[in-house]
Amino acid sequence: MVIATITERGILSNKNNIVFQNYVNNKAYNLSQGTASAATLNTITLASGADNIYNGKVIEIIYGSGKNQARFITGSTSLVATVSLNWEQIPDASSVYIIHVNSGQCPEQKHNELDCYVTLDANASGIDSFYVGSFIKILHGNGKGQISEIIEYYGANKLVRLDPKLQVPALSNSIYAIYGEGGLATSSTTSTIVLDGNQSVQVGMYHYIETIGGAAQGQVRMINSISGNTVTVNSNWETLPDNTTRYIIF
């Protein structure tokens, strides 16, 4: 029997903790990270990027002037990104930002149970269960600061079901980021697992993969390397994953 390492046990015990508010944990799923060079009331000049590459994503100031502000990017020209709402405190050359991979602004919430369901941005994945086991954090607007685990996801209507329930519901002014991503494996060997090909480019060494459904459920391994869709893990599987195995990466 393969026993989880101290590091793995630490990851498991902290998954539903406020560690996801910490910059060190947030940065695993970034499209970009850098220090701003300037800003205006509704723009920010980034360290790198191209026209419109970050449209529809959320930028969060994690250090320096304007810390803890998050805004939805609506457009960009060269390095200047335009945001959906004016900054409360305008960033400057001390402001360190991250741009989240799985992020967006909620549309109008038309479902009845606002405490346990959230409709995501139209650009969210269309794959059922893709975000299951990941965590959503409301970064701005209604419900700001809340973190909850995604226990169901319906790709057709972009709807997540959460546990625990939200104390303050997410509404159409709510900006969010999702930490972690998931999918359905296709095959494996004793020390590898073949992903479904829908993973972001952020998946790599030192992330963790957990099997949360189907064959081989309940195993956690560190990712040693990834080539194409094939992940090599740090210790052999006790039970081999197969094409019924649902996984999450965090």
Side-chain angles (χ1 to χ4, degrees):
M1 179 178 178
V2 178
I3 305 298
T5 67
I6 292 173
T7 302
E8 288 168 341
R9 286 197 296 272
I11 289 288
L12 286 172
S13 66
N14 286 307
K15 272 181 59 184
N16 203 18
N17 202 303
I18 59 170
V19 294
F20 287 89
Q21 295 183 32
N22 185 303
Y23 162 58
V24 174
N25 294 280
N26 289 359
K27 69 180 183 180
Y29 282 91
N30 299 344
L31 276 174
S32 180
Q33 171 186 331
T35 302
S37 58
T40 67
L41 195 59
N42 69 337
T43 69
I44 183 169
T45 303
L46 306 176
S48 62
D51 289 2
N52 300 321
I53 190 172
Y54 301 128
N55 282 12
K57 301 299 181 182
V58 171
I59 184 168
E60 181 181 8
I61 308 299
I62 51 99
Y63 183 79
S65 182
K67 180 180 177 181
N68 296 327
Q69 295 180 98
R71 295 293 186 268
F72 184 69
I73 297 175
T74 58
S76 59
T77 302
S78 187
L79 300 179
V80 179
T82 301
V83 296
S84 56
L85 297 167
N86 290 347
W87 300 106
E88 296 165 26
Q89 180 180 356
I90 296 177
D92 60 22
S94 72
S95 303
V96 178
Y97 65 84
I98 55 177
I99 298 175
H100 294 278
V101 172
N102 295 310
S103 61
Q105 182 164 342
C106 292
E108 181 183 355
Q109 303 292 295
K110 297 181 179 180
H111 44 83
N112 295 324
E113 300 176 72
L114 291 172
D115 57 348
C116 58
Y117 286 93
V118 175
T119 302
L120 302 183
D121 187 272
N123 292 320
S125 173
I127 301 169
D128 286 345
S129 299
F130 184 79
Y131 301 116
V132 169
S134 301
F135 292 80
I136 186 169
K137 180 179 179 182
I138 308 300
L139 298 172
H140 181 81
N142 232 57
K144 180 179 178 180
Q146 295 178 101
I147 300 170
S148 188
E149 183 174 4
I150 296 171
I151 58 173
E152 292 180 9
Y153 178 65
Y154 307 98
N157 54 9
K158 318 296 186 186
L159 188 67
V160 297
R161 185 161 77 92
L162 305 176
D163 185 32
K165 295 180 179 180
L166 298 176
Q167 297 302 305
V168 179
L171 299 177
S172 59
N173 67 344
S174 300
I175 293 172
Y176 67 87
I178 293 173
Y179 304 104
E181 55 188 284
L184 192 65
T186 59
S187 62
S188 70
T189 66
T190 55
S191 62
T192 68
I193 182 170
V194 181
L195 308 183
D196 63 9
N198 295 297
Q199 65 275 7
S200 75
V201 296
Q202 306 304 312
V203 174
M205 292 176 63
Y206 311 125
H207 288 173
Y208 284 80
I209 185 165
E210 178 179 359
T211 54
I212 62 168
Q217 181 176 349
Q219 301 177 86
V220 179
R221 297 292 185 273
M222 181 187 285
I223 295 175
N224 276 351
S225 65
I226 180 169
S227 178
N229 296 330
T230 301
V231 163
T232 301
V233 294
N234 67 327
S235 58
N236 290 347
W237 300 108
E238 298 169 43
T239 304
L240 290 182
D242 63 16
N243 61 3
T244 69
T245 302
R246 175 71 55 186
Y247 62 84
I248 57 169
I249 297 169
F250 54 93

